[in-house]
Amino acid sequence: MSMTLLGVLGLLSLMVLLGLRFPVALSMIFVGVFGTIAATTNKFYLIGMDADKAFARGIRTAMSNLSGEAFEAASNYNLLVIPMFVLMGNLAGVSGMSADLFNAAYRWMGHLRGGLASATIAACAGFAALSGSSLAAAITMGRVALPEMKKFNYSDSLATGSVAAGGTLGFLIPPSGGMVIYAVLTEQSIGRLFMAGVIPGMLLTLLFIGAIYQTVLRKPEAGPAGPKAPWPERRAALFAALPFFTVVGITIGGMYTGFFTPVEASAVGAFLAMVVAILRRSLGLRAVREVILETMKASATVFLILIGAFVFIPFMSITELPGQLVTLLTSLPIGDYGVLLIIILIYMFLGMFLEGIAMLVLTIPVVLPIIASLSFGFDPALADMKMIWFGVLVVIVLEMGMISPPVGINVFVVKSIAPDVPMSHVFRGIWPFWFAMALMLVLLMLFPRIAVWLPMTMVG
């Protein structure tokens, strides 16, 4: 059997397991281990080795990959940023910083048409800078914002759509969990990838607010204006949100200036969030237990998926399938951006059925060699910047998948917070934001410096 055919069969087996709702990490480990046994056995049998010896060699190779890659993923120093930033986000939620953030945005924007929805987007963007998790942002801000929007008679579609879309910003704005995983899989700088998400994250936040503005222009009753807060209340709300700005400013600013490495910044951010929680006396025994358990569960899930990816990637390398795809796509007379468009369309299709992190670890081993073989107008000396730019594109496409039917995970999270809202209304509300993301993709393809300018100016 040819190696390419083995690779195709491995991918099909993986899709079948995922279709049967088998856990993503275990699916990749299963296919990676048994695929490596089959591929290695086939390889040594074809060069004349006895079948039994070839099979034994395949088993040893697969077990060596499983143990070695699992140890490497679990002991990777750079991956400490995942539990630390998750801990920081959980502590921020317990300490009330997330509620302060929404209150400040509400006081300044709530009197505008669609102002509460816009405040929700702004608060989600802010909370994303504390947690790096789209689900955490959607859950935390949904619990705070949805009751307020219901009180002011916002349409169900606009209210739930803004929470679901705003939550996706946690995957782009640093410290982004998606960026960390992309950095590990592609061996890029976590710090530079974090900085690459800053300007696109801010622009996407503004595009989301613009989408809300367009919605209320067409249907003013969808987002009625609230009462205008007096200036003393606005100043007080900003002052209450000062701990948030301090924590984010120190962690992100420290990474940008080179004063902290990303790992050090994550530890400092978690420590500062803990200090705020202690000073506000919100860290009782029950809260501590909840924060620790939530941090451990989220971190364990991500690490297990990474271990699965590290076991699956060597199997793909043995089959040489990525190389075959590179040859196929680069031979098409459609140019670099034509190939990129095909990749993005495939991501959009997969995003309708797969969760973001799972899709990232499944596709990067196949897609990375293709992107590396194309130039997109980047100077060869800036190959790292090309990969960072592509990382931002991928993360935004994954964000689109988080709100795309039928699986959009953020939509189901919002539905769990607002069980009285029909699912059709929630999906109807996400489309203006989905098209805002598509516009952001176009801007990044036309103007790559939106993503790479800040990383190129970093110290160190």
Side-chain angles (χ1 to χ4, degrees), residues 412-438:
F412 285 93
V413 166
V414 172
K415 171 64 177 173
S416 70
I417 303 172
D420 56 321
V421 179
M423 184 64 78
S424 59
H425 288 201
V426 184
F427 275 120
R428 190 185 310 152
I430 59 94
W431 289 114
F433 304 102
W434 193 93
F435 286 112
M437 292 180 186

Side-chain angles (χ1 to χ4, degrees), residues 213-237:
Y213 180 70
Q214 288 295 321
T215 300
V216 296
L217 272 183
R218 290 184 290 105
K219 296 176 62 178
E221 69 278 6
K228 188 172 185 177
W231 283 104
E233 286 189 18
R234 296 189 189 189
R235 287 192 294 269

Side-chain angles (χ1 to χ4, degrees), residues 189 191-192 195 252-262 385 453-460:
S189 162
R192 291 186 186 276
M195 292 304 108
I252 304 300
M255 280 190 290
Y256 176 71
T257 59
F259 191 76
F260 299 136
T261 66
M385 289 298 110
W453 177 75
L454 205 55
M456 289 175 67
T457 63
M458 285 181 66
V459 177

